[in-house]
Amino acid sequence: MLEKVDILLDEVAKFTATDLNQVEEFRIRLLGKKGEITALMSDFRNVPNEQKKEFGQKLNTLKTAALEKVNEIKDSLESSSTSNKEKQDLTRPAEYTPLGARHPLSVVRKEILDIFTRIGFSISEGPEIEDDFHNFTALNFPPEHPARDMQDTFFIDDEIALRTHTSSVQVRVMENSTPPIRTVSPGRVFRNEAISARAHCIFHQVEGLYIDKGVSFADLKQTLLYFAKEMFGENTEIRLRPSYFPFTEPSAEVDVSCQICNGKGCNVCKHTGFLEIMGCGMVDPNVLENCGIDSTVYSGFAFGMGIERITMLKYQINDLRHFFENDLRFLNQFKSAY
Ligand code: PHE
């Protein structure tokens, strides 16, 4: 019987076939219900005990080899038969592959960062989940400030919240470096607001910080004018209105001349000729001290803008929600932007 197994092993090794019928015949002859291997299997109990081990192992090898051979030839016959049927036509025009586009917020974010890196600002990023010290206390927010209210800020616990601005990143930069500091901090920020055409609970900011000896309000104004002209065009004008932020003193709100009516007055600028784009001011000495910087030696300015707002003005988009809905009819309009 051992010889029989050897003969069959040899046969399996040599077997080839040119069509599927031959493979099936071969399978039935060896592995079918009345097949030769099946017969050997049932003869196994008649094998003398001392030969059982050797015979069993050989028989198993044979069975596996036969199964593998059948499957292998079947596979190769099947795949070659399909490729024969569908002869490839190499002259056919290629299928159109639609290209994606950058999100308008990414386009404008890059543009803002490019403008500031051209005049020596570095880019700094920090955590979106922030502690009270970096988001509020270091920035001179008094304990009872309304921004610390659950209604404005997403708190995780008493100490930890989702950052409400990227000023928190600038606190980290000030703590970890010595002036001169020139940096812009882009990132996502979170505020507990109802979603509407003008507000969203998630939006994007770029905030800037410049600290050195003798930095003045004139430096701030010139930097912002340069930014506005680079972003909106050479003829753009800016206007600063007094405002209040806990971390800057004095503080101002920055407006740019309306891009739609060129400052003449229209519906978009509510006939004022100007549109608000950011907040700014001279860094409050308390903030410098909180971050380990000697306020008798150094002074600095800071500013912060929403990327959504800049993008809406630049591309005349009238609803903030477009940025988050991922409607391709909206996104595809930015294909040519880089
Ligand atoms: N952090 C302010 C905000 O989120 C913006 C700002 C930054 C204002 C720096 C003044 C100076 O609204």
Side-chain angles (χ1 to χ4, degrees):
M1 273 203 295
L2 269 173
E3 272 163 44
K4 175 79 184 159
V5 176
D6 281 335
I7 294 169
L8 287 177
L9 261 173
D10 196 41
E11 204 180 316
V12 168
K14 289 191 181 129
F15 179 73
T16 53
T18 48
D19 68 52
L20 286 169
N21 285 338
Q22 289 174 353
V23 185
E24 186 58 8
E25 263 171 37
F26 177 76
R27 188 190 68 79
I28 293 172
R29 185 162 65 77
L30 293 187
L31 296 157
K33 262 195 192 142
K34 295 184 182 150
E36 298 193 42
I37 297 178
T38 322
L40 285 172
M41 291 279 198
S42 49
D43 278 349
F44 182 70
R45 57 189 134 86
N46 304 327
V47 174
N49 272 346
E50 64 277 10
Q51 285 178 22
K52 268 202 162 104
K53 187 170 173 215
E54 191 190 355
F55 183 75
Q57 277 171 353
K58 266 211 160 143
L59 196 53
N60 268 333
T61 319
L62 172 64
K63 194 176 174 188
T64 327
L67 274 172
E68 273 171 9
K69 188 76 174 207
V70 166
N71 288 336
E72 186 187 307
I73 298 184
K74 242 191 188 169
D75 282 352
S76 81
L77 284 175
E78 275 166 3
S79 65
S80 68
S81 73
T82 48
S83 62
N84 280 343
K85 257 185 251 153
E86 297 167 16
K87 278 251 160 39
Q88 287 183 13
D89 175 3
L90 297 176
T91 63
R92 251 180 74 190
E95 295 263 344
Y96 167 64
T97 315
L99 285 179
R102 273 181 194 272
H103 193 281
L105 293 178
S106 306
V107 172
V108 173
R109 174 189 189 272
K110 180 174 184 298
E111 213 174 322
I112 298 171
L113 295 178
D114 283 350
I115 293 173
F116 285 106
T117 46
R118 283 206 286 278
I119 52 170
F121 280 76
S122 62
I123 297 171
S124 45
E125 288 181 282
E128 293 180 346
I129 298 173
E130 195 46 284
D131 53 45
D132 179 275
F133 177 77
H134 290 93
N135 197 75
F136 294 126
T137 305
L139 290 161
N140 209 27
F141 278 80
E144 71 285 3
H145 194 282
R148 293 184 177 222
D149 197 318
M150 292 286 279
Q151 291 197 331
D152 294 300
T153 302
F154 292 111
F155 279 96
I156 291 166
D157 59 32
D158 282 352
E159 271 298 306
I160 307 289
L162 300 184
R163 67 178 176 199
T164 59
H165 49 190
T166 57
S167 305
S168 55
V169 179
Q170 309 190 332
V171 173
R172 289 177 180 277
V173 173
M174 286 189 275
E175 281 177 329
N176 296 314
S177 45
T178 46
I181 295 170
R182 249 187 260 114
T183 190
V184 273
S185 319
R188 272 202 299 191
V189 300
F190 308 86
R191 290 184 198 176
N192 197 352
E193 304 219 29
I195 296 170
S196 71
R198 288 147 159 271
H200 206 288
C201 53
I202 300 176
F203 61 100
H204 301 78
Q205 278 190 327
V206 175
E207 297 219 355
L209 176 73
Y210 178 25
I211 296 174
D212 202 348
K213 288 179 185 156
V215 176
S216 73
F217 204 92
D219 296 321
L220 169 60
K221 213 173 153 186
Q222 200 54 41
T223 305
L224 297 182
L225 182 62
Y226 157 78
F227 168 74
K229 285 178 183 285
E230 290 290 293
M231 191 72 203
F232 296 108
E234 188 50 37
N235 296 325
T236 310
E237 289 172 19
I238 61 166
R239 178 173 85 172
L240 272 67
R241 284 176 291 114
S243 185
Y244 172 79
F245 298 101
F247 34 90
T248 45
E249 180 59 36
S251 307
E253 223 63 78
V254 185
D255 298 345
V256 287
S257 47
C258 179
Q259 302 305 301
I260 294 166
C261 61
N262 274 326
K264 286 188 200 74
C266 67
N267 280 340
V268 175
C269 60
K270 299 199 184 90
H271 302 283
T272 61
F274 282 91
L275 291 159
E276 188 186 313
I277 57 161
M278 66 173 116
C280 70
M282 301 306 292
V283 181
D284 193 302
N286 285 345
V287 174
L288 295 176
E289 295 295 336
N290 289 342
C291 301
I293 293 174
D294 187 345
S295 65
T296 60
V297 179
Y298 295 105
S299 60
F301 66 70
F303 56 86
M305 67 190 99
I307 304 180
E308 279 80 355
R309 174 130 188 102
I310 306 282
T311 313
M312 286 169 90
L313 294 180
K314 187 150 170 124
Y315 291 107
Q316 290 166 25
I317 296 161
N318 59 9
D319 194 322
L320 192 78
R321 288 168 291 196
H322 287 311
F323 293 127
F324 300 93
E325 282 166 358
N326 286 335
D327 185 333
L328 288 177
R329 289 167 302 179
F330 172 71
L331 295 177
N332 280 336
Q333 295 177 49
F334 298 89
K335 275 201 165 156
S336 59
Y338 69 102

